[in-house]
Amino acid sequence: MRWLKLRVIIDGMYIYPLQGKKPVVIPMSIARPNIVATDGYHFTKPIQVAYQTRVHYLKVSYAIDDDQLIAGGIIMFMLYLVGFTSGVFIITLFSISPLLFFLYLFYFNRKDFIRIQVA
């Protein structure tokens, strides 16, 4: 989902944009910062990072990655093509199921759409 503009917010004050898979170095001035990732519509649950080591590696990811999005598009196209050429309406109707699944993840599963994980 490279087309979404993802940002990391530290303690509700400092905003750092994430660009692709490039690492971002964020200086920490307090001992237990709250970290939240957002794309403007989705927000992660705030996590607190304690200073046990000087460097923490965190990975921000989506519930749908680019490969799943492409595979869903291919499955949609193939099912629609089979349903259209065979004349079976149920297969054509079933072809929108990947789209419905992705829309469910995007709109109704908002809290778990973006994830912050320890890398």
Side-chain angles (χ1 to χ4, degrees):
M1 306 275 289
R2 296 178 192 142
W3 47 274
L4 293 175
K5 296 186 187 296
L6 196 60
R7 295 173 295 280
V8 173
I9 302 172
I10 309 293
D11 290 328
M13 298 185 335
Y14 306 107
I15 300 173
Y16 297 93
L18 300 177
Q19 298 170 356
K21 296 195 181 248
K22 297 178 183 176
V24 176
V25 177
I26 300 173
M28 298 291 176
S29 59
I30 60 173
R32 297 182 67 83
N34 285 327
I35 300 174
V36 175
T38 183
D39 63 355
Y41 183 69
H42 302 95
F43 290 91
T44 61
K45 298 172 188 168
I47 63 167
Q48 279 192 343
V49 177
Y51 280 118
Q52 296 171 351
T53 61
R54 298 293 295 172
V55 178
H56 293 281
Y57 295 98
L58 301 175
K59 179 182 177 185
V60 180
S61 62
Y62 293 103
I64 305 170
D65 62 352
D66 290 334
D67 297 334
Q68 288 176 330
L69 195 61
I70 292 170
I74 292 171
I75 290 171
M76 280 179 52
F77 178 72
M78 296 299 288
L79 284 175
Y80 179 76
L81 201 60
V82 167
F84 184 72
T85 56
S86 69
V88 179
F89 181 70
I90 286 291
I91 296 175
T92 307
L93 189 61
F94 188 64
S95 71
I96 64 168
S97 62
L99 179 67
L100 294 175
F101 177 69
F102 291 154
L103 288 175
Y104 166 75
L105 287 177
F106 191 78
Y107 287 110
F108 296 112
N109 200 6
R110 287 178 51 184
K111 291 185 179 183
D112 295 327
F113 188 72
I114 300 175
R115 302 173 184 149
I116 297 178
Q117 303 164 346
V118 177

